[in-house]
Amino acid sequence: MARWIDQLKQWAKQIKRDVYAVWFAARDPETPFLAKLVALLVAAYAISPIDLIPDFIPILGYLDDLILVPLGIMLVLRLVPTEVMQHCRLQADAISQKPSS
């Protein structure tokens, strides 16, 4: 059980890093227009308090976040050039390493 929880925590950290990376990719000048548009939409949805299904609805409220955000990130990863995404992930890692208050 502890191993499963550790894997879930690691997955959540990776999703958080990828949301930052998607945001950086949306602002990168080398990112194609369509990829920028999709990246902005995914990042905005991930950080927005507005959901398609409100979080107070049991199970379904969080299910849209658990499905839509990773699917959006996967789509952005396909649209953004690999070199740009690698650079954006490095930026996201740097942001993630900074202590927060």
Side-chain angles (χ1 to χ4, degrees), residues 44-63:
Y45 184 79
I47 63 173
S48 172
I50 300 169
D51 287 335
L52 292 177
I53 302 171
D55 289 342
F56 64 82
I57 298 174
I59 300 173
L60 293 178
Y62 291 106
L63 197 58

Side-chain angles (χ1 to χ4, degrees), residues 46-96:
I47 63 173
S48 172
I50 300 169
D51 287 335
L52 292 177
I53 302 171
D55 289 342
F56 64 82
I57 298 174
I59 300 173
L60 293 178
Y62 291 106
L63 197 58
D64 69 328
D65 293 331
L66 291 174
I67 293 172
L68 292 178
V69 173
L71 286 177
I73 289 171
M74 287 181 358
L75 179 60
V76 171
L77 292 176
R78 289 182 161 259
L79 295 173
V80 174
T82 306
E83 303 81 30
V84 173
M85 203 63 216
Q86 287 173 347
H87 177 70
C88 294
R89 279 189 169 149
L90 290 175
Q91 285 180 301
D93 284 337
I95 292 288
S96 297

Side-chain angles (χ1 to χ4, degrees), residues 13-25 84-98:
K13 282 183 184 181
Q14 186 177 8
I15 291 291
K16 182 179 177 182
R17 183 206 60 186
D18 283 345
V19 168
Y20 280 120
V22 164
W23 172 250
F24 290 131
V84 173
M85 203 63 216
Q86 287 173 347
H87 177 70
C88 294
R89 279 189 169 149
L90 290 175
Q91 285 180 301
D93 284 337
I95 292 288
S96 297
Q97 300 302 322
K98 290 183 180 180

Side-chain angles (χ1 to χ4, degrees), residues 22 25-26 31-41 75-76 78-81:
V22 164
T31 302
F33 176 76
L34 179 61
K36 281 185 182 194
L37 181 64
V38 173
L40 281 173
L41 291 173
L75 179 60
V76 171
R78 289 182 161 259
L79 295 173
V80 174

